[in-house]
Amino acid sequence: GRHSMLPRHVQRLGRDWITHWNGSQILALNSPVSSCMRWAGHYPPWASFPLPISADFSTNWRFPSFFGPWREFQNSNWRLDNYTQSCCFHLPNPSMKSEGEEPLTKKRRLSGQRDSSTPEQETNLSNQKDVSCLSVAQNEEKHGSKKGTIKRHWEYFCEHSRTMKISERKRSDQSNTESEAAFDFTVMSYNILSQNLLEDNSHLYKHCRQRLLFWAYRFPNILQEIKQLDADVLCLQEVQEDHYRTEIKSSLESLGYHCEYKMRTGRKPDGCAICFKTSKFSLISSNPVEFFRRDIPLLDRDNVGLVLLLRPRFHCKANASICVANTHLLYNPRRGDIKLTQLAMLLAEIASVAPQKDGSFCPVIICGDFNSVPGSPLYRFIKEGKLNYEGLAIGKVSGQEQFPRGQRILSIPIWPKKLGISQNCVYEMKQQQKEKNAGEKLEAEKLNNTQEIVIASEKLSSKLQHHFKLSSVYSHYFPETGIPEVTTCHSRSAVTVDYIFYSAANDDTAAQPGAEDSFHGGLKLLGRLALLTEKDLWTVNGLPNENNSSDHLPLLAQFRLIER
């Protein structure tokens, strides 16, 4: 028969849950992660999707103890129900072809990142070779050996080929002489997965055991991650308002953080938070940004942003400041027009908060879930500071879909004039005032040049610009293999959508080309917590899992403030 290699009694007991048997591959549960179960070419009745096995599947498998003599098997009190309750299932590499299966609220079909031969990848690979001076240090914390824990290491950017010795917990002693001359700090960006959104989109978490999805289980894990990584600044997305009010805020305050929060508009129960260590920073201003505008049909979504201006403590320059922004842009892959407008609104707010007395901008850090993949037009606009969107289809703005369904071309201009934001992503009233003040001080020749620039920008109305020279903390591809880094991973996909962008200083060797001409001092990237591949994440059953309770990974970077 079809399963002639098995005893007849095993065939009879297993006919409902074994549909294929390969004599060369014995199926058993001997993985380093006991909660992960994988089958070869197997469609069990309790799974609506195939679960193919990886190529290296046989290396860690052994014959299961209950496939022994029949008497031992009977005495083992083994039941299928008990067996399936104690394990989760390894999902295949996502190759979903039916876009309509996922709702607009939380769908993460971002296949645009999967093309490993994209120009963005080639650029990043060459940048990595230029940087070349990476020192890798493994975290050897006690809980690092905990079963099912994702192992991530720190990558330290070196200077002149010398390994930088940074303490494991990255605490800087501000009392010593060396610290007084430099201000080092860490920033985390983390989408912690709102419980409300998790429950509304439960189909994305079929691979998880039910108990792992309860907030009572998830929050202690999230808090433990925050404690362990011990960042000086936290930028959190999908922070549910009732949980923030009753648990999150008080828990973070007990760790020495001051918290600022902006809830989404409408009936959306979550929002963005920025929290900072009061021992490292003081608050100058907090500026929430609402992307919903009742009088503008284009802006009918409830996403928000938050912009803080912080003053570093223990720093020699009294008026030094750092601008930190956090946002969660619209998900919908077919509404690139809304995404770009939301981003322009955030940049306009930053441009109004970050100017210093001398007219330059203070260092800027922008964190968040941008729902866009590396190399997409939206991503390039952030990094390059310009985008000509003439003829660009709205479904291609974020690169989330390999074959985008949103084919309508972006209108010129994208947003109406009454929004009050120019194509340079600044508030028009403030821009006009700035030009007026500049006109009173500048010589006639310089004034004419300014007018020519303004006229040129009006003629090229399909060109967006912003004034920040930004680099990405992460490279998005592993230089050795070209495999994409992943920041989110669930039942449907695994891609990068989360970023930390920063104003790179002139001598920052980690900065991408185009950032080295920064005119406002800036930040030097000292190190980052390495990301993982999709394969790495599925060894612990994807996200969320037993120890990592969000469907996103926390991003973490260490910076040094460089003065002009």
Side-chain angles (χ1 to χ4, degrees):
R2 183 175 177 182
H3 305 294
S4 57
M5 296 184 65
L6 294 177
R8 186 180 302 275
H9 49 266
V10 176
Q11 295 180 39
R12 183 168 59 250
L13 284 173
R15 75 163 59 100
D16 290 335
W17 59 285
I18 298 180
T19 61
H20 179 72
W21 178 269
N22 185 339
S24 65
Q25 294 176 331
I26 305 302
L27 304 179
L29 206 66
N30 191 30
S31 168
V33 185
S34 62
S35 62
C36 184
M37 172 179 175
R38 298 183 273 187
W39 298 95
H42 161 218
Y43 290 76
W46 22 259
S48 59
F49 40 81
L51 304 175
I53 199 69
S54 60
D56 61 345
F57 121 104
S58 60
T59 57
N60 292 321
W61 297 83
R62 61 177 172 80
F63 203 86
S65 59
F66 56 76
F67 280 102
W70 173 238
R71 181 59 55 192
E72 294 181 17
F73 180 71
Q74 282 182 314
N75 294 337
S76 67
N77 293 323
W78 177 85
R79 291 179 58 195
L80 178 60
D81 291 341
N82 293 336
Y83 189 63
T84 57
Q85 287 173 3
S86 63
C87 63
C88 296
F89 305 99
H90 180 91
L91 300 180
N93 292 334
S95 58
M96 308 300 294
K97 297 181 180 179
S98 176
E99 299 295 337
E101 292 179 1
E102 297 195 40
L104 296 179
T105 53
K106 184 71 177 178
K107 194 177 65 165
R108 295 272 193 253
R109 178 67 179 105
L110 307 180
S111 58
Q113 188 190 6
R114 299 204 177 275
D115 184 0
S116 61
S117 62
T118 59
E120 179 65 27
Q121 177 186 355
E122 295 174 0
T123 301
N124 284 322
L125 290 179
S126 64
N127 292 340
Q128 283 294 86
K129 292 179 181 178
D130 294 336
V131 174
S132 71
C133 191
L134 281 178
S135 171
V136 177
Q138 299 289 343
N139 283 333
E140 299 293 345
E141 301 181 21
K142 294 181 180 180
H143 52 273
S145 60
K146 187 177 179 181
K147 187 178 292 184
T149 300
I150 298 175
K151 294 182 178 179
R152 299 174 64 184
H153 61 267
W154 270 90
E155 295 175 332
Y156 298 131
F157 288 90
C158 307
E159 190 172 5
H160 306 303
S161 300
R162 292 183 304 169
T163 300
M164 296 179 61
K165 295 183 179 180
I166 303 178
S167 64
E168 185 174 275
R169 295 188 62 81
K170 301 168 295 305
R171 292 183 183 274
S172 55
D173 182 6
Q174 299 293 341
S175 62
N176 60 45
T177 305
E178 187 177 275
S179 302
E180 291 175 359
F183 183 80
D184 297 352
F185 63 100
T186 52
V187 177
M188 176 197 291
S189 182
Y190 193 10
N191 182 326
I192 65 173
L193 181 56
S194 159
Q195 188 68 21
N196 182 271
L197 290 176
L198 182 154
E199 293 170 2
D200 286 348
N201 299 276
S202 57
H203 64 284
L204 299 180
Y205 312 106
K206 291 181 179 179
H207 60 288
C208 301
R209 282 179 285 179
Q210 190 64 31
R211 71 177 183 86
L212 304 184
L213 300 179
F214 295 124
W215 178 249
Y217 181 93
R218 294 178 55 232
F219 178 60
N221 273 354
I222 292 170
L223 189 62
Q224 177 59 34
E225 274 188 297
I226 292 174
K227 286 181 180 178
Q228 174 187 335
L229 297 176
D230 195 30
D232 298 314
V233 180
L234 306 175
C235 291
L236 306 178
Q237 304 89 42
E238 291 193 20
V239 180
Q240 193 162 306
E241 193 275 336
D242 57 336
H243 292 155
Y244 173 79
R245 188 179 64 255
T246 59
E247 295 177 276
I248 298 175
K249 185 173 186 286
S250 58
S251 297
L252 293 180
E253 286 177 342
S254 69
L255 298 177
Y257 290 98
H258 172 84
C259 302
E260 294 289 324
Y261 178 72
K262 175 56 183 174
M263 184 179 174
R264 284 206 284 171
T265 52
R267 298 182 178 180
K268 307 298 183 182
D270 64 285
C272 295
I274 300 180
C275 313
F276 59 89
K277 290 281 187 70
T278 55
S279 60
K280 296 294 289 279
F281 297 95
S282 61
L283 180 65
I284 300 176
S285 66
S286 177
N287 310 272
V289 185
E290 295 184 355
F291 299 143
F292 175 82
R293 295 293 176 89
R294 190 177 304 276
D295 58 335
I296 301 177
L298 174 68
L299 296 173
D300 60 350
R301 308 305 166 97
D302 295 309
N303 305 82
V304 296
L306 186 60
V307 181
L308 264 56
L309 191 62
L310 302 177
R311 175 167 289 120
R313 298 185 186 273
F314 314 108
H315 199 264
C316 56
K317 189 174 179 180
N319 61 347
S321 59
I322 298 172
C323 181
V324 180
N326 183 24
T327 192
H328 189 177
L329 298 184
L330 177 70
Y331 168 74
N332 192 339
R334 297 185 295 279
R335 294 309 303 268
D337 51 346
I338 299 178
K339 292 173 185 280
L340 283 173
T341 306
Q342 290 180 346
L343 178 59
M345 295 172 72
L346 182 71
L347 292 172
E349 185 64 29
I350 295 172
S352 71
V353 171
Q356 301 183 111
K357 292 181 179 180
D358 62 359
S360 66
F361 291 106
C362 70
V364 173
I365 298 173
I366 306 177
C367 300
D369 181 343
F370 290 82
N371 277 316
S372 301
V373 302
S376 65
L378 186 143
Y379 173 88
R380 294 200 310 269
F381 173 52
I382 295 174
K383 281 188 56 179
E384 298 172 7
K386 58 185 178 181
L387 173 67
N388 187 349
Y389 60 86
E390 183 176 4
L392 180 62
I394 60 173
K396 294 183 178 180
V397 169
S398 63
Q400 291 166 280
E401 295 179 330
Q402 188 172 2
F403 305 103
R405 291 174 289 172
Q407 296 299 329
R408 180 166 60 84
I409 302 300
L410 287 169
S411 61
I412 301 175
I414 299 175
W415 55 82
K417 189 174 181 62
K418 65 179 177 179
L419 179 60
I421 294 177
S422 72
Q423 297 287 288
N424 292 328
C425 298
V426 297
Y427 294 126
E428 288 187 323
M429 293 300 296
K430 293 186 179 181
Q431 183 183 30
Q432 293 171 2
Q433 183 63 37
K434 183 178 180 180
E435 291 172 356
K436 181 180 178 181
N437 294 338
E440 295 173 354
K441 298 177 182 178
L442 290 176
E443 298 174 358
E445 183 179 351
K446 292 184 178 180
L447 179 59
N448 290 335
N449 291 336
T450 303
Q451 291 172 344
E452 290 175 3
I453 293 173
V454 173
I455 294 172
S457 65
E458 290 175 352
K459 291 179 180 178
L460 303 174
S461 59
S462 64
K463 291 185 177 180
L464 295 179
Q465 298 180 14
H466 68 75
H467 300 294
F468 309 107
K469 305 294 192 299
L470 299 173
S471 291
S472 172
V473 164
Y474 289 91
S475 304
H476 315 309
Y477 296 90
F478 289 91
E480 302 86 359
T481 62
I483 297 175
E485 296 173 336
V486 164
T487 67
T488 180
C489 179
H490 53 58
S491 295
R492 294 294 176 91
S493 66
V495 289
T496 286
V497 294
D498 307 279
Y499 303 94
I500 301 177
F501 297 104
Y502 69 102
S503 307
N506 293 344
D507 61 343
D508 185 11
T509 58
Q512 288 83 7
E516 61 271 9
D517 60 347
S518 174
F519 57 90
H520 48 262
L523 300 167
K524 184 178 181 65
L525 179 62
L526 301 180
R528 64 193 178 196
L529 186 63
L531 289 171
L532 302 169
T533 67
E534 179 181 3
K535 182 179 178 181
D536 293 333
L537 287 172
W538 282 122
T539 63
V540 290
N541 202 44
L543 297 171
N545 56 53
E546 186 173 349
N547 300 301
N548 307 93
S549 289
S550 174
D551 58 349
H552 291 248
L553 291 174
L555 280 58
L556 184 63
Q558 184 174 35
F559 296 105
R560 172 166 294 165
L561 178 62
I562 305 296
E563 295 179 341
R564 288 199 307 144

